[in-house]
Amino acid sequence: MDGQSATALFAAKGIDVTPNKDQGVIKVIKRQGLDGDRPMIGDRVTVHYTGKLLTGKKFDCSRDRKEPFCFNVGKGQVLKAWDIAVLSMQRGEVCTLLCKPEYAYGAAGNPNKIPPSSSVVFEMELLKFEGEMLTDDGGILRRIKVKGDGYTNPNDGASVEVHLEGSCGGRLFDCRDISFIVGEAEDKGVPLGVDQAMDKMQKGECCVLYLKPKYAFGSEGKPEYKIGPDKDVVYEVTLKDFQRAKESWEMDLKEKLELAAVVKHKGNQYFKAGRYYQAVVQYQRIVVWLEMECGNGIDQQKRIQDFILTSHLNLALCFLRMNEFSQVVENCNKVIELDGSNEKALYRRGVARLLRNEFSLAMADFQKVLQVNPSNRAARAQISICQSKIKEHNEQDKKTYANMFQKFAERDAKIGKKKRRRDESTRSSMNGEVGIKRRRRSRDCPS
């Protein structure tokens, strides 16, 4: 079948799903999907597909590999035809797509598989889809309703103008136009999840953010919005406009040092208010700005190092409150690299290690604290705790090993008993057989 005949056949049975209706992708539904939602731009979709030339020759098939294919739709990760078609499908739908070259493999084709300027046919099944995860822990999930313009995003410190609509359990609790600084949205009553999503958005974009409590209003809730503790919330966010902040490389050292003082103060305010995630954002900004700076003169070098040390110490303290002990150790290590006798870094690393049940390492840290400051009573108390934990751990090990040896002994005794029974049974059987044979021989022998 040539391209013109195929287009006529598909057009008679299907629909043109291209935005400009140029018959570049024509879809014929073979099995209707489930009524309801369709994928949105950025969603993670899972499909099965078979690709064929117009001659009927198969060139690719996920089912042959026995593994479905996953991608983020509308992000240019796959053929243009796929991005267009999948956005029109429902979960469970099976369809056949006729795709013109400009929506498939183009003028070049695909060596050894698809000839140049070839139309191709795909049979596709949409198995499932879900929003785009913006955090590793799945705490912020985004679904894009309207794609934004351009290729730039708000950066850390950018000024943004947004329209917000927040809901919880289907109840609208927040609807407003608001401006805020990225990284400081908490000052305007905007939750952390919305703040963190800003650097993924484009001007004009409208998206829906599904926020877990950690990125919403946490264990405290939001009484003024009548939201209780540990509630999931949903925000529809439209980014109306933004002004990017200067990047680190666009600022001179003087600007960085002036901003570092302001940002440190902001981080301290968040910490005192118990907003540890927001405090972390502020302290990390200082590290990014200054970690590669050397400074001119001893005074400037000392000021840079003081900011770096203080930021890592504060980050360690925030992560300690957030029970993220690996991050505590990592930030304390960076302080100790610069100042091997830093009392706070050694103590906080010791606490994190103790809470990770690394008792010997923790005790070594607290002992170093006492070397630096023999009057540190907190470190002395922690050493006592470490010693008790080590003793308790050793006693537990002894019990465990004793129980193991007891079980091994009991098992060996049972095995030995069974073996003796089998041996006795075997000997008894053999004796019986010998007796029978002797009696037979006596009967068979001449008298």
Side-chain angles (χ1 to χ4, degrees), residues 1 57 67 69 72 76 101 189 203 225 229 235 249 276 290 324 330 344 371 392:
M1 187 182 294
K57 181 181 178 181
E67 184 178 358
F69 183 72
N72 291 96
K203 184 178 178 179
Y225 291 149
Y235 266 90
W249 54 267
Y276 304 123
L290 298 177
E324 295 186 19
E330 183 180 326
K344 289 181 178 178
Q371 290 173 11
E392 181 183 320

PDB file of all heavy atoms in Angstrom, residues 1 57 67 69 72 76 101 189 203 225 229 235 249 276 290 324 330 344 371 392:
ATOM      1  N   MET A   1       0.850  -1.185   0.000  1.00  0.00           N
ATOM      2  CA  MET A   1       0.000   0.000   0.000  1.00  0.00           C
ATOM      3  C   MET A   1       0.893   1.245   0.000  1.00  0.00           C
ATOM      4  O   MET A   1       1.877   1.296   0.738  1.00  0.00           O
ATOM      5  CB  MET A   1      -0.901   0.014   1.249  1.00  0.00           C
ATOM      6  CG  MET A   1      -1.925   1.133   1.244  1.00  0.00           C
ATOM      7  SD  MET A   1      -2.912   1.144   2.770  1.00  0.00           S
ATOM      8  CE  MET A   1      -3.802  -0.392   2.605  1.00  0.00           C
ATOM      9  N   LYS A  57       5.611  -5.207   6.898  1.00  0.00           N
ATOM     10  CA  LYS A  57       6.805  -5.731   7.558  1.00  0.00           C
ATOM     11  C   LYS A  57       6.986  -5.081   8.932  1.00  0.00           C
ATOM     12  O   LYS A  57       6.994  -3.863   9.060  1.00  0.00           O
ATOM     13  CB  LYS A  57       8.044  -5.466   6.698  1.00  0.00           C
ATOM     14  CG  LYS A  57       9.321  -6.004   7.319  1.00  0.00           C
ATOM     15  CD  LYS A  57      10.536  -5.699   6.446  1.00  0.00           C
ATOM     16  CE  LYS A  57      11.814  -6.203   7.109  1.00  0.00           C
ATOM     17  NZ  LYS A  57      13.015  -5.895   6.302  1.00  0.00           N
ATOM     18  N   GLU A  67       8.342  -6.660  27.334  1.00  0.00           N
ATOM     19  CA  GLU A  67       8.558  -5.551  28.270  1.00  0.00           C
ATOM     20  C   GLU A  67       7.907  -4.289  27.718  1.00  0.00           C
ATOM     21  O   GLU A  67       8.243  -3.846  26.608  1.00  0.00           O
ATOM     22  CB  GLU A  67      10.056  -5.315  28.468  1.00  0.00           C
ATOM     23  CG  GLU A  67      10.361  -4.255  29.506  1.00  0.00           C
ATOM     24  CD  GLU A  67      11.857  -4.074  29.719  1.00  0.00           C
ATOM     25  OE1 GLU A  67      12.656  -4.785  29.092  1.00  0.00           O
ATOM     26  OE2 GLU A  67      12.225  -3.203  30.524  1.00  0.00           O
ATOM     27  N   PHE A  69       6.985  -0.246  27.249  1.00  0.00           N
ATOM     28  CA  PHE A  69       7.882   0.904  27.089  1.00  0.00           C
ATOM     29  C   PHE A  69       7.325   2.092  27.869  1.00  0.00           C
ATOM     30  O   PHE A  69       6.116   2.356  27.835  1.00  0.00           O
ATOM     31  CB  PHE A  69       7.991   1.258  25.601  1.00  0.00           C
ATOM     32  CG  PHE A  69       8.948   2.375  25.316  1.00  0.00           C
ATOM     33  CD1 PHE A  69      10.309   2.185  25.424  1.00  0.00           C
ATOM     34  CD2 PHE A  69       8.480   3.626  24.933  1.00  0.00           C
ATOM     35  CE1 PHE A  69      11.207   3.215  25.154  1.00  0.00           C
ATOM     36  CE2 PHE A  69       9.350   4.662  24.661  1.00  0.00           C
ATOM     37  CZ  PHE A  69      10.725   4.453  24.770  1.00  0.00           C
ATOM     38  N   ASN A  72       8.071   9.956  29.250  1.00  0.00           N
ATOM     39  CA  ASN A  72       7.316  11.144  29.667  1.00  0.00           C
ATOM     40  C   ASN A  72       6.718  11.785  28.426  1.00  0.00           C
ATOM     41  O   ASN A  72       7.445  12.292  27.559  1.00  0.00           O
ATOM     42  CB  ASN A  72       8.215  12.134  30.410  1.00  0.00           C
ATOM     43  CG  ASN A  72       8.660  11.610  31.755  1.00  0.00           C
ATOM     44  OD1 ASN A  72       9.745  11.057  31.889  1.00  0.00           O
ATOM     45  ND2 ASN A  72       7.822  11.740  32.763  1.00  0.00           N
ATOM     46  N   GLY A  76       9.259  15.336  24.050  1.00  0.00           N
ATOM     47  CA  GLY A  76      10.202  15.133  22.956  1.00  0.00           C
ATOM     48  C   GLY A  76      11.120  13.944  23.147  1.00  0.00           C
ATOM     49  O   GLY A  76      12.168  13.858  22.496  1.00  0.00           O
ATOM     50  N   PRO A 101       5.958  10.727   7.406  1.00  0.00           N
ATOM     51  CA  PRO A 101       7.397  10.783   7.724  1.00  0.00           C
ATOM     52  C   PRO A 101       7.782  11.921   8.656  1.00  0.00           C
ATOM     53  O   PRO A 101       8.601  11.734   9.559  1.00  0.00           O
ATOM     54  CB  PRO A 101       8.054  10.954   6.347  1.00  0.00           C
ATOM     55  CG  PRO A 101       7.072  10.408   5.373  1.00  0.00           C
ATOM     56  CD  PRO A 101       5.714  10.665   5.952  1.00  0.00           C
ATOM     57  N   GLY A 189       2.791  32.274  52.794  1.00  0.00           N
ATOM     58  CA  GLY A 189       1.831  31.204  53.071  1.00  0.00           C
ATOM     59  C   GLY A 189       1.701  30.200  51.951  1.00  0.00           C
ATOM     60  O   GLY A 189       0.710  29.467  51.883  1.00  0.00           O
ATOM     61  N   LYS A 203       6.866  30.020  31.586  1.00  0.00           N
ATOM     62  CA  LYS A 203       5.879  31.098  31.575  1.00  0.00           C
ATOM     63  C   LYS A 203       4.625  30.655  30.828  1.00  0.00           C
ATOM     64  O   LYS A 203       4.694  30.121  29.728  1.00  0.00           O
ATOM     65  CB  LYS A 203       6.471  32.344  30.915  1.00  0.00           C
ATOM     66  CG  LYS A 203       5.551  33.546  30.940  1.00  0.00           C
ATOM     67  CD  LYS A 203       6.213  34.759  30.318  1.00  0.00           C
ATOM     68  CE  LYS A 203       5.258  35.954  30.292  1.00  0.00           C
ATOM     69  NZ  LYS A 203       5.899  37.153  29.699  1.00  0.00           N
ATOM     70  N   TYR A 225      -6.809  27.649  57.151  1.00  0.00           N
ATOM     71  CA  TYR A 225      -7.467  27.058  55.983  1.00  0.00           C
ATOM     72  C   TYR A 225      -8.332  25.858  56.376  1.00  0.00           C
ATOM     73  O   TYR A 225      -8.874  25.172  55.513  1.00  0.00           O
ATOM     74  CB  TYR A 225      -6.432  26.605  54.952  1.00  0.00           C
ATOM     75  CG  TYR A 225      -5.684  27.719  54.260  1.00  0.00           C
ATOM     76  CD1 TYR A 225      -4.374  27.525  53.831  1.00  0.00           C
ATOM     77  CD2 TYR A 225      -6.281  28.953  54.022  1.00  0.00           C
ATOM     78  CE1 TYR A 225      -3.673  28.535  53.183  1.00  0.00           C
ATOM     79  CE2 TYR A 225      -5.584  29.960  53.380  1.00  0.00           C
ATOM     80  CZ  TYR A 225      -4.285  29.750  52.957  1.00  0.00           C
ATOM     81  OH  TYR A 225      -3.598  30.757  52.311  1.00  0.00           O
ATOM     82  N   PRO A 229      -3.653  18.124  60.451  1.00  0.00           N
ATOM     83  CA  PRO A 229      -2.277  17.635  60.287  1.00  0.00           C
ATOM     84  C   PRO A 229      -2.187  16.479  59.293  1.00  0.00           C
ATOM     85  O   PRO A 229      -3.132  15.717  59.119  1.00  0.00           O
ATOM     86  CB  PRO A 229      -1.894  17.175  61.696  1.00  0.00           C
ATOM     87  CG  PRO A 229      -3.189  16.910  62.386  1.00  0.00           C
ATOM     88  CD  PRO A 229      -4.182  17.860  61.803  1.00  0.00           C
ATOM     89  N   TYR A 235      -2.644  21.653  44.444  1.00  0.00           N
ATOM     90  CA  TYR A 235      -2.588  23.041  44.002  1.00  0.00           C
ATOM     91  C   TYR A 235      -2.582  23.096  42.481  1.00  0.00           C
ATOM     92  O   TYR A 235      -1.782  22.403  41.835  1.00  0.00           O
ATOM     93  CB  TYR A 235      -1.314  23.725  44.516  1.00  0.00           C
ATOM     94  CG  TYR A 235      -1.504  24.481  45.815  1.00  0.00           C
ATOM     95  CD1 TYR A 235      -1.310  23.838  47.034  1.00  0.00           C
ATOM     96  CD2 TYR A 235      -1.861  25.827  45.818  1.00  0.00           C
ATOM     97  CE1 TYR A 235      -1.478  24.517  48.234  1.00  0.00           C
ATOM     98  CE2 TYR A 235      -2.035  26.511  47.017  1.00  0.00           C
ATOM     99  CZ  TYR A 235      -1.842  25.857  48.209  1.00  0.00           C
ATOM    100  OH  TYR A 235      -1.999  26.532  49.395  1.00  0.00           O
ATOM    101  N   TRP A 249      27.414  32.769  38.624  1.00  0.00           N
ATOM    102  CA  TRP A 249      28.495  33.249  37.765  1.00  0.00           C
ATOM    103  C   TRP A 249      28.282  34.685  37.281  1.00  0.00           C
ATOM    104  O   TRP A 249      29.203  35.309  36.747  1.00  0.00           O
ATOM    105  CB  TRP A 249      28.686  32.308  36.572  1.00  0.00           C
ATOM    106  CG  TRP A 249      27.413  32.056  35.780  1.00  0.00           C
ATOM    107  CD1 TRP A 249      26.532  31.046  35.960  1.00  0.00           C
ATOM    108  CD2 TRP A 249      26.918  32.840  34.688  1.00  0.00           C
ATOM    109  NE1 TRP A 249      25.493  31.128  35.057  1.00  0.00           N
ATOM    110  CE2 TRP A 249      25.705  32.221  34.259  1.00  0.00           C
ATOM    111  CE3 TRP A 249      27.348  33.983  34.032  1.00  0.00           C
ATOM    112  CZ2 TRP A 249      24.957  32.717  33.210  1.00  0.00           C
ATOM    113  CZ3 TRP A 249      26.596  34.475  32.970  1.00  0.00           C
ATOM    114  CH2 TRP A 249      25.411  33.847  32.563  1.00  0.00           C
ATOM    115  N   TYR A 276      12.495  23.629  58.721  1.00  0.00           N
ATOM    116  CA  TYR A 276      13.840  23.147  58.430  1.00  0.00           C
ATOM    117  C   TYR A 276      14.099  22.992  56.933  1.00  0.00           C
ATOM    118  O   TYR A 276      15.214  23.249  56.467  1.00  0.00           O
ATOM    119  CB  TYR A 276      14.086  21.826  59.161  1.00  0.00           C
ATOM    120  CG  TYR A 276      13.855  21.938  60.645  1.00  0.00           C
ATOM    121  CD1 TYR A 276      12.937  21.117  61.306  1.00  0.00           C
ATOM    122  CD2 TYR A 276      14.534  22.892  61.403  1.00  0.00           C
ATOM    123  CE1 TYR A 276      12.713  21.233  62.661  1.00  0.00           C
ATOM    124  CE2 TYR A 276      14.305  23.025  62.769  1.00  0.00           C
ATOM    125  CZ  TYR A 276      13.396  22.193  63.384  1.00  0.00           C
ATOM    126  OH  TYR A 276      13.168  22.321  64.732  1.00  0.00           O
ATOM    127  N   LEU A 290      29.565  30.323  47.278  1.00  0.00           N
ATOM    128  CA  LEU A 290      30.908  30.603  47.797  1.00  0.00           C
ATOM    129  C   LEU A 290      31.884  29.426  47.803  1.00  0.00           C
ATOM    130  O   LEU A 290      33.077  29.632  48.041  1.00  0.00           O
ATOM    131  CB  LEU A 290      30.797  31.147  49.231  1.00  0.00           C
ATOM    132  CG  LEU A 290      30.032  32.467  49.401  1.00  0.00           C
ATOM    133  CD1 LEU A 290      29.933  32.833  50.875  1.00  0.00           C
ATOM    134  CD2 LEU A 290      30.716  33.583  48.625  1.00  0.00           C
ATOM    135  N   GLU A 324      17.665  13.029  58.876  1.00  0.00           N
ATOM    136  CA  GLU A 324      18.387  12.615  57.666  1.00  0.00           C
ATOM    137  C   GLU A 324      19.870  12.542  58.025  1.00  0.00           C
ATOM    138  O   GLU A 324      20.653  13.441  57.741  1.00  0.00           O
ATOM    139  CB  GLU A 324      18.106  13.580  56.517  1.00  0.00           C
ATOM    140  CG  GLU A 324      16.651  13.571  56.085  1.00  0.00           C
ATOM    141  CD  GLU A 324      16.374  14.419  54.855  1.00  0.00           C
ATOM    142  OE1 GLU A 324      17.333  14.734  54.122  1.00  0.00           O
ATOM    143  OE2 GLU A 324      15.203  14.770  54.633  1.00  0.00           O
ATOM    144  N   GLU A 330      27.577  13.969  56.123  1.00  0.00           N
ATOM    145  CA  GLU A 330      28.203  14.559  54.936  1.00  0.00           C
ATOM    146  C   GLU A 330      28.582  16.019  55.165  1.00  0.00           C
ATOM    147  O   GLU A 330      29.696  16.452  54.828  1.00  0.00           O
ATOM    148  CB  GLU A 330      27.244  14.445  53.747  1.00  0.00           C
ATOM    149  CG  GLU A 330      27.814  14.957  52.441  1.00  0.00           C
ATOM    150  CD  GLU A 330      26.842  14.821  51.281  1.00  0.00           C
ATOM    151  OE1 GLU A 330      26.073  13.830  51.268  1.00  0.00           O
ATOM    152  OE2 GLU A 330      26.841  15.702  50.405  1.00  0.00           O
ATOM    153  N   LYS A 344      31.611  21.675  67.146  1.00  0.00           N
ATOM    154  CA  LYS A 344      30.211  21.451  66.782  1.00  0.00           C
ATOM    155  C   LYS A 344      30.089  20.358  65.725  1.00  0.00           C
ATOM    156  O   LYS A 344      29.182  19.515  65.788  1.00  0.00           O
ATOM    157  CB  LYS A 344      29.589  22.743  66.274  1.00  0.00           C
ATOM    158  CG  LYS A 344      29.354  23.782  67.352  1.00  0.00           C
ATOM    159  CD  LYS A 344      28.699  25.030  66.772  1.00  0.00           C
ATOM    160  CE  LYS A 344      28.422  26.062  67.861  1.00  0.00           C
ATOM    161  NZ  LYS A 344      27.819  27.299  67.311  1.00  0.00           N
ATOM    162  N   GLN A 371      38.791  16.058  73.540  1.00  0.00           N
ATOM    163  CA  GLN A 371      40.175  16.488  73.312  1.00  0.00           C
ATOM    164  C   GLN A 371      40.238  17.977  72.992  1.00  0.00           C
ATOM    165  O   GLN A 371      41.153  18.675  73.405  1.00  0.00           O
ATOM    166  CB  GLN A 371      40.799  15.678  72.176  1.00  0.00           C
ATOM    167  CG  GLN A 371      41.059  14.218  72.523  1.00  0.00           C
ATOM    168  CD  GLN A 371      41.526  13.411  71.321  1.00  0.00           C
ATOM    169  OE1 GLN A 371      41.847  13.985  70.280  1.00  0.00           O
ATOM    170  NE2 GLN A 371      41.578  12.102  71.470  1.00  0.00           N
ATOM    171  N   GLU A 392      25.387  -3.275  75.602  1.00  0.00           N
ATOM    172  CA  GLU A 392      24.090  -3.896  75.315  1.00  0.00           C
ATOM    173  C   GLU A 392      24.137  -4.682  74.007  1.00  0.00           C
ATOM    174  O   GLU A 392      23.617  -5.796  73.906  1.00  0.00           O
ATOM    175  CB  GLU A 392      23.033  -2.785  75.225  1.00  0.00           C
ATOM    176  CG  GLU A 392      21.621  -3.250  74.968  1.00  0.00           C
ATOM    177  CD  GLU A 392      20.663  -2.069  74.816  1.00  0.00           C
ATOM    178  OE1 GLU A 392      20.807  -1.078  75.578  1.00  0.00           O
ATOM    179  OE2 GLU A 392      19.799  -2.133  73.935  1.00  0.00           O
TER     180      GLU A 392
END
